Amino acid sequence: RVHIVLGMLRDKDVEGVIRVLQRVATAVSFMASSHERALAPERMQAYADGAIVSSLEEAKQYAGEAPIVVTGSLYLLAACAK
């Protein structure tokens, strides 16, 4: 099982993506990218329990020993890769 860090754009199927990811996740953290179409983490949190984080380092605090998977938006992946 993994800890998911999820960030998505407003025009995506957030509810559907979260439903699928919850099958493999021990926990989910929500994070917005700086892209103008980024969905606010609070909106994603409406579909699942999870922490709102502002950085990958902060998400690591919630993950514990679980591996972290960053997904949902290439803009978020790019921000985390810096």
Side-chain angles (χ1 to χ4, degrees):
R1 311 253 314 162
V2 297
H3 183 97
I4 302 289
V5 176
L6 180 65
M8 296 184 68
L9 299 180
R10 290 188 303 260
D11 59 345
K12 304 303 178 192
D13 178 14
V14 177
E15 184 177 11
V17 169
I18 289 174
R19 191 177 328 112
V20 170
L21 292 177
Q22 284 182 315
R23 296 178 192 159
V24 297
T26 55
V28 180
S29 292
F30 303 105
M31 184 175 161
S33 71
S34 59
H35 191 274
E36 62 197 29
R37 290 181 14 234
L39 183 65
E42 294 81 7
R43 299 279 308 275
M44 291 181 276
Q45 195 179 39
Y47 298 104
D49 291 333
I52 294 175
V53 298
S54 58
S55 69
L56 187 56
E57 289 302 316
E58 188 178 353
K60 289 178 183 179
Q61 296 173 7
Y62 291 101
E65 296 296 317
I68 294 176
V69 174
V70 178
T71 190
S73 167
L74 293 176
Y75 297 105
L76 179 63
L77 292 171
C80 288
K82 289 182 180 179

